[in-house]
Amino acid sequence: MSQSSLSATATLEAGRQARAGQRGLWSSRWVFFLAATGSAVGLGNIWKFPYITGENGGGAFVLMYLGCILLIGIPLLMAEVMIGRRGRHNPAGSMAALAREAGASRHWRTLGWVAGLTGFLILSFYSVIAGWALAYVPALFGGQFTGITPQASEARFGAMLAEPGMLVLYGTLILTATLAIVGLGVRRGLEQSLRFMMPGLFVLLLGLVAYSAVSGGFLRAVEFLFVPDFSKLTATSVLVALGHAFFTLSLASGAMMTYGSYLPEGTSIARTALMVAVADTTVALLAGLAIFPLVFGNGLEPGSGPGLLFVTLPIAFGQMPLGMLVGGLFFVMLVIAALTSTISLLEPAIAWLTERYRTTRIKATLGCGAVLWVLSLGSVFSFNLWSEHTLFGRTFFDLLDKLTTNWLMPLGGLGIVLFVGWALNERLVREAMAMRSPVMFRVWWWLIRLVTPLCIVAVFLNLVGLL
Ligand code: PHE
């Protein structure tokens, strides 16, 4: 290496260390694992996975989703954490820093920007659904579901959606909590609660699966989830499976890159990412195993849409001993799982505003909060006042959900993968990943360079009928 490039490398390294020092880091690898799992595990696993599995015919869809997690999600999760840790900036800033280091075009940073925007848009509707979960907390503790019939549960959910005022109220509470946590940087308290809430949610889910296992409908549920019937799979369902792999692992939305930017050196990215993905997938499958026996046992419709969780689980809570208490606790934990995701959805935008425009954290948070709140009204009204106002046959909520999950995330993810695999060089990436096993690095490197991008492209070609 020439003298000048040596000193350039030293300057880059010094800059990185200085930035790492200024921005603050996770206090340990364990805390990063908790935060990343907190981001990944949320409504995506417990609310969305079951209902889209129901809509897309079950087993074959689940298989596609698992394949996407393995071949696309996990390699990309590692890549995103690596980008963040090496760049030590908001997503756009980190991508620009790496591009500079590799001598690639600085325009790659646009992808970081798109990712941050994607996260922002997701947050606007995610907070509304988290609001539904919050609304169920007092209802369950108050015993409103005791002995409820499936029809009454459906009707009650419908009645909730019909009241925009309540939905706005609960959605606003979720947004406010998110803004407060992110704006004031009170993550300490959150770290503590994560330690108890994540395992708590897990135990309650296991309990629910056990309850569902003995209450009829379990075998049909297992068959529905795990015996693939490929005749039910359409090109669109493959795209939905791909999009959901991104959504559930918080990819291509800035979240994992931003969290990676607070990760101390010396932590194994590969091992931590793998653990996050395993925890995330396990929670989703458990949620499916808890919900579908209730669907079949009570003669409900698996493809009934976003209300699935909110209609089925209260029936079980209404029948079981201590159901009020267990049900109330379950929704409390669901709200917390959602909050640990919402803060990771907001953090990239705040990091970008404070680093790029040097605004204070509080100002950035208030500004984002105002825009998010207005956007969230569109999602609330999609279920009542504006339910008849559609574009391409979709409501505002539907459009935002599909735009972000099925398009922005997979295409943004494709861009990030190409950036890492082709715009950066192998030496830099190997150094930044710091994997202990050279063989594992090779495997990952080839996944990122070829398998992952080709799989994403294949899904889109399949969609337009070219495959
Ligand atoms: N992964 C979260 C969930 O499954 C949602 C999310 C998406 C969070 C993108 C952050 C970024 O609920």
Side-chain angles (χ1 to χ4, degrees):
M1 213 183 279
S2 74
Q3 197 59 38
S4 67
S5 74
L6 262 183
S7 72
T9 316
T11 318
L12 274 174
E13 183 54 37
R16 250 198 316 273
Q17 279 174 8
R19 274 200 303 281
Q22 278 161 17
R23 309 175 80 233
L25 297 174
W26 301 109
S27 46
S28 70
R29 175 174 105 93
W30 175 237
V31 174
F32 170 75
F33 168 72
L34 282 178
T37 311
S39 169
V41 174
L43 296 173
N45 308 61
I46 298 171
W47 160 72
K48 199 169 192 188
F49 172 72
Y51 98 72
I52 56 175
T53 299
E55 281 181 343
N56 289 281
F61 174 82
V62 174
L63 207 63
M64 283 292 146
Y65 156 74
L66 292 176
C68 290
I69 293 280
L70 207 65
L71 294 178
I72 300 168
I74 295 177
L76 180 58
L77 176 55
M78 295 180 190
E80 289 203 20
V81 176
M82 180 275 287
I83 293 175
R85 183 168 75 178
R86 183 78 172 188
R88 296 262 182 243
H89 262 297
N90 60 76
S94 287
M95 291 191 78
L98 264 79
R100 199 173 328 117
E101 208 179 331
S105 157
R106 59 203 284 268
H107 293 302
W108 283 104
R109 72 176 167 183
T110 315
L111 285 171
W113 196 83
V114 172
L117 181 72
T118 307
F120 194 81
L121 292 177
I122 292 178
L123 180 52
S124 79
F125 67 81
Y126 198 94
S127 57
V128 173
I129 313 292
W132 297 358
L134 184 60
Y136 266 51
V137 171
L140 270 146
F141 279 134
Q144 288 186 19
F145 290 94
T146 311
I148 200 164
T149 61
Q151 290 69 29
S153 183
E154 269 176 334
R156 198 190 172 289
F157 177 70
M160 177 179 82
L161 290 193
E163 271 189 65
M166 289 311 267
L167 299 187
V168 171
L169 173 71
Y170 284 109
T172 307
L173 287 175
I174 297 283
L175 264 184
T176 313
T178 308
L179 297 170
I181 296 170
V182 174
L184 302 174
V186 288
R187 242 159 292 155
R188 298 238 130 221
L190 209 84
E191 284 181 20
Q192 289 308 322
S193 57
L194 271 171
R195 274 174 218 268
F196 299 104
M197 289 304 168
M198 284 305 190
L201 186 69
F202 200 75
V203 170
L204 269 193
L205 262 182
L206 273 181
L208 273 178
V209 174
Y211 179 84
S212 292
V214 294
S215 62
F218 193 67
L219 282 183
R220 274 195 67 193
V222 171
E223 191 185 327
F224 180 74
L225 283 171
F226 299 113
V227 180
D229 171 357
F230 287 98
S231 69
K232 294 210 181 115
L233 206 62
T234 63
T236 314
S237 15
V238 181
L239 179 66
V240 175
L242 173 72
H244 189 64
F246 280 89
F247 187 88
T248 194
L249 289 180
S250 309
L251 299 173
S253 55
M256 289 300 181
M257 274 193 219
T258 309
Y259 275 13
S261 75
Y262 305 122
L263 183 66
E265 305 289 332
T267 309
S268 161
I269 293 179
R271 189 143 38 101
T272 319
L274 210 62
M275 281 161 55
V276 172
V278 168
D280 185 75
T281 310
T282 311
V283 172
L285 294 178
L286 283 180
L289 282 175
I291 290 174
F292 281 107
L294 299 168
V295 171
F296 293 119
N298 289 293
L300 295 164
E301 187 43 59
S304 64
L308 194 66
L309 162 89
F310 294 92
V311 172
T312 52
L313 286 190
I315 305 174
F317 293 133
Q319 293 164 354
M320 66 174 70
L322 292 182
M324 278 161 68
L325 196 69
V326 180
L329 271 181
F330 178 85
F331 278 98
V332 168
M333 292 191 180
L334 185 60
V335 169
I336 293 179
L339 279 177
T340 54
S341 300
T342 55
I343 57 175
S344 74
L345 283 162
L346 183 58
E347 184 67 29
I350 302 298
W352 180 69
L353 286 173
T354 51
E355 288 168 11
R356 178 82 173 73
Y357 297 103
R358 309 233 168 267
T359 41
T360 62
R361 219 173 153 79
I362 301 283
K363 268 199 210 141
T365 313
L366 288 177
C368 285
V371 180
L372 281 167
W373 188 76
V374 173
L375 271 179
S376 78
L377 295 182
S379 291
V380 166
F381 298 154
S382 300
F383 295 97
N384 35 66
L385 305 179
W386 293 353
S387 58
E388 304 301 319
H389 294 277
T390 54
L391 192 68
F392 310 119
R394 298 189 182 287
T395 61
F396 183 81
F397 161 77
D398 239 2
L399 279 175
L400 261 191
D401 176 31
K402 300 288 181 310
L403 172 74
T404 49
T405 312
N406 296 352
W407 296 93
L408 287 176
M409 285 182 149
L411 293 175
L414 178 62
I416 297 171
V417 169
L418 293 177
F419 171 68
V420 174
W422 298 91
L424 302 181
N425 55 59
E426 188 179 339
R427 188 188 54 77
L428 187 155
V429 175
R430 178 165 328 113
E431 194 183 304
M433 283 295 288
M435 279 200 199
R436 263 179 233 128
S437 147
V439 180
M440 284 312 288
F441 177 77
R442 285 267 108 200
V443 172
W444 173 79
W445 183 237
W446 283 106
L447 281 170
I448 281 290
R449 295 199 88 189
L450 287 178
V451 180
T452 304
L454 287 179
C455 286
I456 301 178
V457 169
V459 173
F460 282 99
L461 288 182
N462 184 29
L463 191 73
V464 292
L466 285 176
L467 212 68

